[in-house]
């Protein structure tokens, strides 16, 4: 079967299927009154959020719901508001020392089982409603997320509906050889992380993936997007040969590690890496990365129960600063929202999360979160060469307000007598079309730009980066997008600031000559891609790249552009 190959390479291994939410009783006991109150409060909040969810479903589908479906939603609200269920759950928490989720499983699922065993057909069908509301409450309690086993066998290929960024990060890459998912897109964060960690991945395979059974032998080709189930011996041999070739090519490319990415006519581009924490740095240097062009800090915030404290964040950034050995590290302030939700932050449901409350918008609205992060980055700045970057900027007011917050964070530290580097550079991501169009003005406000093509592409072309149905339209060679990128680089240079690019386009070999010709100063990508892109730069001249760029800018559609780039890249 075929999906979208999002992280290159070939894996051959055994399937481990993790579709189903594992509902299990943890057996954890809550002992103190405070702990019990917290659990009781969590339950009440989870019920409210489940009610909100059902109401939202009802409103969203108001015109199409038939009376039966409408009844089902009414019954679910009734169950969710049922005083008996609430008092049974609270009794388990307060008198039997259960956690909220254990109490919900015991009360709601036991009731569902009881209804399911009844003779009366009407009552029997209510079992499914109870099951459903049980799932909704557990979901709100964040306990029925996909349950990844704690340990994997060697050469495991994960087969899942989708993987969240935190699940992808948690994968032990010494055991997990790759993954294939039913949904997802090229620039979903699971895909980006897989690429950075060098594990082959294929997304958007569709429901056919359900045909796979646990322990089936699977071949995963993260370049072509092929997923081969239960292959014969000949296929396995064929793919082992391909795998060997890829590994040999890579070891040749890795030998270029200590050379600069210099064209044949002497122009140098900085090769930087995208990371999510200090543990990624080893791979960065192994692949010849010269620093970090994008440190996605939000990954410290996900997969946990509450916001990290200033001290915890400081230690996290300090580790990166120290381990990056004086090389530049662009620290991006939190970019939560969109596909990176924090269950403990509780952003209410939004119809368009990518156009909603996310990134710098949250930071400027909830300054305590922002200032805590800025103070911890500044505190860590004395241990290395950190720069600060704001995501999702769309207006000059946001830049000015964010800079005021940096000033405020510096004053807080001064008052407390804590050291920081006052010359810490400040930059912005260019990932909203208004920012790309305002590059001439914004360039006067900041020290550098970094073009985030993942979002800039989705916003410019109005194509959801996570929606596989429109993945064919998500295309970074669209001439409209290319015009914006070119403008940003030209304006940056006119105002004598650096222009980098840290979206997935940076690691697309087809785009390298074009971006070089546009004059980019820095390319930042998943560490595993650095050797491939460096090899292209080393083998070409800037003057050829400029010609390529000028020809591409005269073309009116991406099909022609891609064919031309394939031709000149041979
Ligand atoms: C981008 O939008 O290009 C980017 C690098 O940021 P993220 O993928 O984290 O949204
Ligand atoms: Mg982005």
């Amino acid at each position: 079967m075929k999906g979208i190959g999002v992280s290159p390479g070939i894996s051959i291994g055994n399937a481990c299927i993790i579709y189903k939410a594992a509902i299990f009783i943890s057996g954890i006991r809550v002992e103190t009154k405070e702990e019990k109150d917290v659990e009781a409060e969590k339950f009440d909040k989870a019920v409210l959020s489940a009610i909100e969810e059902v109401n939202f479903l009802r409103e969203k589908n108001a015109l199409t719901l038939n009376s039966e479906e409408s009844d089902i939603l009414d019954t679910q609200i009734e169950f969710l508001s049922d005083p008996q269920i609430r008092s049974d759950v609270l009794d388990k928490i307060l008198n039997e020392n259960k956690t909220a989720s254990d109490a919900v499983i015991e009360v709601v699922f036991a009731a569902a089982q009881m209804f399911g065993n009844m003779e009366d057909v009407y009552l029997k069908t209510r079992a499914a409603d109870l099951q459903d509301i049980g799932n909704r409450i557990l979901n709100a309690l964040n306990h029925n997320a996909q349950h990844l086993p704690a340990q994997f066998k060697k050469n495991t290929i994960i087969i899942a509906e989708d993987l969240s960024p935190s699940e992808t990060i948690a994968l032990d890459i010494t055991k997990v050889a790759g993954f294939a998912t039913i949904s997802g897109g090229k620039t979903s964060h699971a895909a980006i992380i897989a690429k950075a960690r060098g594990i082959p991945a294929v997304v958007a395979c569709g429901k056919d993936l359900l045909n796979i059974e646990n322990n089936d032998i699977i071949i995963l080709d993260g370049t072509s997007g092929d997923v081969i189930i239960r292959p014969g011996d000949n296929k396995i041999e064929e793919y082992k040969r391909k795998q060997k070739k890829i590994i040999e090519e890579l070891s040749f490319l890795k030998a270029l590690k200590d050379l600069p990415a210099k064209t044949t006519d002497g122009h140098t581009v900085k090769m930087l890496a995208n990371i999510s924490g200090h543990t990624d740095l080893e791979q960065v240097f192994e692949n010849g990365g010269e620093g970090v062009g994008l440190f996605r800090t939000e990954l410290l915030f996900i997969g946990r129960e509450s916001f990290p404290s200033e001290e915890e964040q400081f230690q996290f950034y300090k580790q990166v600063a120290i381990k990056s050995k004086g090389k530049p590290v662009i620290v991006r302030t939190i970019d939560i929202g969109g596909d990176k939700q924090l269950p403990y932050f509780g952003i209410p449901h939004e119809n368009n999360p990518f156009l909603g409350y996310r990134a710098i918008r949250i930071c400027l609205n909830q300054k305590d979160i922002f200032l805590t992060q800025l103070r911890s980055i500044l505190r860590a700045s004395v241990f290395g060469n950190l720069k600060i970057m704001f995501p999702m900027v769309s207006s000059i007011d946001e830049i000015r307000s964010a800079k005021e917050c940096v000033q405020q964070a510096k004053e807080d530290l001064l008052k407390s007598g804590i050291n920081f580097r006052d010359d810490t550079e400040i930059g912005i991501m260019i990932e909203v079309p208004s920012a790309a169009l305002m590059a001439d003005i914004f360039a006067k406000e900041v020290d550098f730009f970094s073009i985030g093509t993942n979002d800039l592409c989705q916003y410019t072309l109005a194509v959801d980066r996570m929606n596989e149905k429109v993945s064919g339209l998500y295309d970074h060679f669209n001439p409209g997008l290319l015009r914006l990128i070119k403008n940003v680089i030209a304006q940056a240079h006119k105002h004598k600031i650096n222009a980098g690019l840290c979206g997935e386009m940076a690691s697309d070999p087809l785009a390298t000559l074009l971006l070089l010709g546009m004059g980019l100063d820095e390319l930042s990508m998943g560490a595993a891609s650095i050797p491939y892109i460096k090899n292209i730069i080393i083998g070409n001249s800037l003057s050829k790249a400029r010609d390529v760029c000028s020809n591409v800018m005269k073309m009116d559609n991406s099909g022609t552009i891609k064919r031309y780039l394939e031709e000149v890249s041979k």
Side-chain angles (χ1 to χ4, degrees):
M1 70 188 60
K2 206 165 180 79
I4 306 173
V6 291
S7 176
I10 288 169
S11 305
I12 305 171
N14 293 93
C16 168
I17 299 173
I18 52 162
Y19 299 131
K20 294 278 184 304
I23 294 173
F24 59 96
I25 294 187
S26 73
I28 296 170
R29 289 177 63 79
V30 284
E31 301 291 351
T32 64
K33 175 162 182 329
E34 287 75 24
E35 283 173 339
K36 290 178 182 177
D37 288 346
V38 168
E39 291 301 307
E41 197 185 323
K42 269 202 221 163
F43 169 73
D44 280 333
K45 275 196 184 153
V47 168
L48 281 181
S49 126
I51 292 177
E52 235 175 59
E53 202 177 284
V54 178
N55 279 329
F56 171 75
L57 262 181
R58 195 182 358 223
E59 278 161 34
K60 189 173 156 212
N61 301 301
L63 296 176
T64 52
L65 280 183
N66 62 31
S67 66
E68 214 170 280
E69 290 162 338
S70 191
D71 281 350
I72 290 176
L73 295 183
D74 286 346
T75 311
Q76 292 203 357
I77 298 269
E78 247 171 65
F79 276 143
L80 283 164
S81 324
D82 187 315
Q84 188 62 47
I85 291 184
R86 179 171 186 269
S87 91
D88 288 352
V89 169
L90 292 187
D91 184 55
K92 296 249 177 224
I93 295 173
L94 301 176
N95 301 320
E96 294 181 31
N97 306 59
K98 312 264 173 175
T99 60
S101 46
D102 282 1
V104 168
I105 295 170
E106 288 193 12
V107 171
V108 182
F109 289 94
Q113 204 164 20
M114 195 181 77
F115 274 83
N117 290 335
M118 287 180 176
E119 293 288 318
D120 184 305
V121 179
Y122 174 79
L123 292 176
K124 218 178 170 67
T125 52
R126 297 282 70 88
D129 291 320
L130 271 166
Q131 193 98 32
D132 216 19
I133 65 143
N135 280 331
R136 284 190 202 285
I137 301 173
L138 285 183
N139 218 351
L141 284 166
N142 196 32
H143 278 281
N144 83 334
Q146 261 166 176
H147 181 61
L148 292 182
Q151 296 252 333
F152 290 102
K153 290 194 210 125
K154 209 161 167 48
N155 278 335
T156 292
I157 295 190
I158 290 178
I159 308 294
E161 169 72 42
D162 200 359
L163 288 174
S164 70
S166 53
E167 285 167 334
T168 318
I169 287 169
L171 297 180
D172 173 359
I173 57 168
T174 61
K175 302 276 166 55
V176 174
F179 65 79
T181 60
I182 293 180
S183 51
K186 220 176 191 146
T187 58
S188 61
H189 284 86
I192 291 172
I193 294 161
K195 205 162 156 188
R197 304 199 147 187
I199 51 171
V202 179
V203 302
C205 300
K207 296 277 181 212
D208 283 352
L209 220 54
L210 294 168
N211 295 326
I212 298 178
E213 289 176 15
N214 258 328
N215 289 322
D216 271 351
I217 295 184
I218 304 287
I219 297 176
L220 198 71
D221 185 337
T223 312
S224 66
D226 288 320
V227 180
I228 303 168
I229 312 171
R230 301 185 280 271
D233 288 348
N234 287 347
K235 263 279 167 261
I236 295 183
E237 277 315 307
E238 176 191 332
Y239 273 85
K240 277 194 174 156
R241 279 195 299 275
K242 283 191 188 178
Q243 203 177 28
K244 189 161 167 259
K245 206 165 150 230
I246 294 175
I247 294 169
E248 279 168 5
E249 189 193 14
L250 187 61
S251 69
F252 161 75
L253 291 176
K254 278 199 177 174
L256 308 174
K257 167 164 108 45
D258 297 321
L259 294 179
K262 198 192 246 183
T263 58
T264 50
D265 48 358
H267 175 76
T268 307
V269 179
K270 250 206 161 87
M271 300 300 287
L272 304 174
N274 297 348
I275 65 163
S276 311
H278 66 86
T279 50
D280 292 338
L281 281 169
E282 202 178 313
Q283 254 221 317
V284 173
F285 294 123
E286 231 174 66
N287 284 287
E290 299 170 77
V292 172
L294 172 64
F295 172 13
R296 289 186 166 98
T297 59
E298 56 280 356
L299 295 172
L300 170 67
F301 292 69
I302 58 183
R304 48 184 294 142
E305 307 253 303
S306 58
F307 275 106
S309 65
E310 179 176 324
E311 185 58 29
E312 218 175 322
Q313 289 190 54
F314 163 60
Q315 292 300 341
F316 189 63
Y317 308 139
K318 178 178 157 186
Q319 292 267 19
V320 170
I322 292 173
K323 292 196 175 149
S324 56
K325 306 174 198 158
K327 301 264 173 22
V329 175
I330 300 181
V331 188
R332 177 174 75 181
T333 57
I334 41 172
D335 186 13
I336 49 177
D339 71 329
K340 287 168 282 189
Q341 297 292 342
L342 308 179
Y344 57 86
F345 188 38
I347 301 177
H349 176 87
E350 296 184 320
N351 280 344
N352 289 305
F354 275 108
L355 300 182
Y357 194 48
R358 71 171 280 208
I360 196 74
R361 300 169 182 183
I362 294 179
C363 289
L364 293 177
N365 192 43
Q366 289 178 255
K367 297 225 170 94
D368 48 336
I369 299 174
F370 197 29
L371 287 170
T372 305
Q373 184 176 35
L374 291 172
R375 278 193 301 268
S376 38
I377 300 172
L378 286 166
R379 283 171 62 184
S381 66
V382 293
F383 294 93
N385 181 7
L386 303 185
K387 306 176 188 209
I388 296 176
M389 174 162 77
F390 308 127
M392 274 291 290
V393 167
S394 60
S395 73
I396 195 139
D397 298 333
E398 284 171 338
I399 302 176
R400 289 181 179 150
S401 305
K403 280 166 60 184
E404 273 165 28
C405 289
V406 174
Q407 202 44 44
Q408 166 78 52
K410 285 182 176 175
E411 280 162 26
D412 291 349
L413 293 178
L414 273 178
K415 270 191 215 135
S416 317
I418 299 175
N419 275 345
F420 59 89
R421 274 182 64 168
D422 198 26
D423 60 352
T424 303
E425 284 187 21
I426 293 178
I428 53 169
M429 290 199 67
I430 303 283
E431 46 187 352
V432 178
S434 62
L437 292 165
M438 294 279 284
D440 53 335
I441 312 275
F442 289 4
K444 295 178 198 148
E445 295 279 334
V446 292
D447 300 311
F448 62 90
F449 286 157
S450 183
I451 306 171
T453 43
N454 302 341
D455 277 316
L456 189 58
C457 184
Q458 86 163 338
Y459 296 132
T460 304
L461 308 184
V463 180
D464 182 345
R465 65 193 263 190
M466 305 284 286
N467 184 342
E468 64 273 16
K469 287 207 192 71
V470 289
S471 62
L473 297 173
Y474 185 90
D475 177 3
H476 49 232
F477 293 107
N478 179 295
L481 179 66
L482 297 181
R483 276 166 169 65
L484 287 183
I485 296 174
K486 192 161 181 286
N487 177 54
V488 172
I489 300 167
Q491 292 303 334
H493 289 166
K494 195 164 159 195
H495 293 88
K496 306 210 168 0
I497 65 169
N498 254 8
L501 191 149
C502 63
E504 290 307 289
M505 190 178 186
S507 59
D508 181 349
L510 209 53
T512 310
L513 271 183
L514 174 61
L515 295 174
L516 187 64
M518 284 184 179
L520 267 182
D521 303 295
E522 299 173 354
L523 285 169
S524 190
M525 64 200 81
S529 301
I530 291 177
Y532 295 93
I533 302 301
K534 189 193 265 187
N535 193 36
I536 299 175
I537 296 173
I538 289 177
N540 282 283
S541 67
L542 179 63
S543 70
K544 171 178 171 187
R546 284 189 174 139
D547 287 346
V548 167
C549 173
S550 112
N551 289 336
V552 164
M553 296 316 285
K554 288 179 208 136
M555 295 175 184
D556 64 3
N557 72 86
S558 92
T560 313
I561 293 172
K562 280 189 263 190
R563 276 191 298 279
Y564 170 71
L565 288 174
E566 263 158 26
E567 202 48 46
V568 293
S569 301
K570 274 179 192 159

